[in-house]
Amino acid sequence: MNKTKHLIEPKDFTVEELDDIFRLADDIIAAPMKYLEVCKGRLLASLFYEPSTRTRFSFEAAMLRLGGQVIGFDDPSASSTSKGESLADTIMTVSCYADIAVLRHPREGTAKLASKFSPDMPIINAGDGGHQHPTQTLTDLLTIRHYKNKFTDHVIGVCGDLKFGRTIHSLVKAMSRYKNVRFIFISPEELKMPQYILDELDSASYTQTNNLEMVIDQLDILYMSRVQRERFVSEEEYLRLKDYYVLDNTKLQKAKNDMIIMHPLPRVNEISVEVDDDPRAVYFQQAKFGMFVRMALIMKLLNLEVER
Ligand code: NCD
């Protein structure tokens, strides 16, 4: 019997295992009908202690499209959490009913903690506070692979809230494993990349700036992000920083013709809607890849296969 595998942070999968997931996602995209019953009789628990549109819907759609079923909540006040139940007790209970669980929580480290109480049911981290969001990274990597055909040899501009942006932390961890990837971290001083992430990187692999216009012509990939209002202590500080970057057609004039513009969404003001018509804007496609890669992930964690 295999040991239960959880996905808490991107490096829980080796590069080879990731390639396997992406190849499976390719096959699901090419022939979705083959997968209609793979998860028949299986149950996914969707435990969302924080708001979500894409992540929750794409996970639930993924399980349903695999023929499985979904239980869960998107408002913890409707669960026994509101009666004071601990996370450990909730997880141990859920594991009596479900085969796999997706957990989003405002507190950093919660998914890891939950995995300690779940010896048999895989736990997927769908975002733990401002820390990590590994399944968004699977989505992002599948998008990069689709538009750029490779993970190596890219200059990636990561722009916006690098301090609290968990999708960014996970993306940087994952992409730092590929050869000749250089990051340009673009943020105001107050929202710089945390030191614990920088410490994991080769210091020659990144530079930091607050000036998007100065570096945009160097980029192969521009990853924009929302200023994470819910993580700020001071609303005033948020209001001061929220529109620090607004990507528009004028700023894009200097960018390469084959640069891709990514964003995990939701977008607030950081990408002007006029950019949506630019062929380089791939953020809505990116959201679509999210469902397919999560189908592949569920199959992988449940050790399910179909003949390809
Ligand atoms: C992100 C998140 O929840 O961290 N959203 C998502 O899952 N696509 C990004 C964000 O909220 O800014």
Side-chain angles (χ1 to χ4, degrees):
M1 195 48 194
N2 284 341
K3 191 176 163 293
T4 300
K5 179 139 179 119
H6 307 285
L7 175 59
I8 308 303
E9 66 125 317
K11 288 186 178 170
D12 288 341
F13 285 124
T14 63
V15 167
E16 292 71 29
E17 285 173 318
L18 286 181
D19 285 340
D20 222 38
I21 291 175
F22 299 140
R23 275 194 297 269
L24 178 56
D26 284 345
D27 197 60
I28 296 172
I29 292 168
M33 303 307 273
K34 244 174 26 192
Y35 294 85
L36 284 179
E37 300 206 331
V38 187
C39 279
K40 198 168 174 194
R42 313 270 176 155
L43 221 58
L44 173 132
S46 168
L47 313 174
F48 278 74
Y49 291 79
E50 257 195 351
S52 171
T53 302
R54 271 145 297 269
T55 305
R56 186 169 67 83
F57 289 168
S58 65
F59 261 117
E60 297 186 4
M63 192 56 172
L64 295 171
R65 283 180 185 274
L66 292 169
Q69 290 184 292
V70 179
I71 54 169
F73 56 78
D74 57 8
D75 175 5
S77 66
S79 76
S80 285
T81 306
S82 64
K83 300 181 186 170
E85 183 169 68
S86 69
L87 179 80
D89 287 5
T90 301
I91 294 296
M92 286 191 286
T93 306
V94 167
S95 69
C96 298
Y97 313 133
D99 302 291
I100 186 164
V102 181
L103 174 70
R104 170 172 287 188
H105 200 282
R107 205 161 351 105
E108 289 75 11
T110 309
K112 175 129 192 117
L113 180 67
S115 70
K116 306 275 181 234
F117 298 99
S118 185
D120 302 317
M121 176 184 70
I123 300 275
I124 300 172
N125 182 6
D128 61 325
H131 185 219
Q132 297 287 328
H133 192 346
T135 70
Q136 180 63 44
T137 299
L138 296 182
T139 304
D140 298 343
L141 264 59
L142 191 62
T143 308
I144 292 172
R145 183 171 166 277
H146 178 84
Y147 288 101
K148 293 287 185 187
N149 298 313
K150 58 180 177 151
F151 295 124
T152 57
D153 308 292
H154 293 306
V155 179
I156 308 179
V158 189
C159 179
D161 187 347
L162 312 190
K163 179 177 179 192
F164 296 119
R166 57 193 176 194
T167 70
I168 286 168
H169 301 160
S170 290
L171 177 72
V172 167
K173 269 186 178 227
M175 287 303 292
S176 68
R177 291 196 287 190
Y178 298 100
K179 270 215 195 91
N180 201 19
V181 168
R182 199 158 63 76
F183 299 102
I184 305 186
F185 297 135
I186 308 156
S187 74
E189 188 60 32
E190 296 86 339
L191 299 177
K192 276 169 83 170
M193 192 65 98
Q195 193 59 42
Y196 79 91
I197 303 279
L198 296 179
D199 286 345
E200 279 191 42
L201 302 176
D202 174 350
S203 59
S205 73
Y206 69 86
T207 50
Q208 306 186 77
T209 176
N210 65 359
N211 194 330
L212 173 61
E213 278 131 299
M214 283 257 293
V215 297
I216 199 164
D217 60 336
Q218 300 175 38
L219 307 177
D220 302 306
I221 297 166
L222 172 56
Y223 194 97
M224 295 295 294
S225 66
R226 168 181 76 91
V227 176
Q228 307 277 299
R229 177 182 207 157
E230 65 276 36
R231 315 260 177 249
F232 278 70
V233 181
S234 148
E235 176 76 2
E236 209 184 324
E237 174 94 335
Y238 165 74
L239 293 173
R240 192 168 61 77
L241 294 169
K242 75 182 176 65
D243 295 327
Y244 200 95
Y245 301 105
V246 180
L247 185 66
D248 57 18
N249 287 344
T250 310
K251 292 193 185 106
L252 277 168
Q253 277 171 9
K254 281 205 287 168
K256 292 183 187 173
N257 286 334
D258 65 347
M259 182 188 83
I260 56 169
I261 308 159
M262 298 177 66
H263 192 306
L265 304 177
R267 145 180 68 184
V268 187
N269 286 327
E270 59 282 355
I271 302 182
S272 158
V273 286
E274 67 182 21
V275 174
D276 297 0
D277 295 329
D278 190 304
R280 292 170 288 190
V282 303
Y283 28 89
F284 288 108
Q285 270 304 112
Q286 191 181 344
K288 193 162 175 187
F289 282 126
M291 180 182 74
F292 294 113
V293 87
R294 287 176 173 111
M295 289 170 81
L297 173 68
I298 291 168
M299 285 182 61
K300 174 99 179 163
L301 292 178
L302 290 177
N303 295 309
L304 299 171
E305 283 179 29
V306 296
E307 226 168 89
R308 281 192 241 166

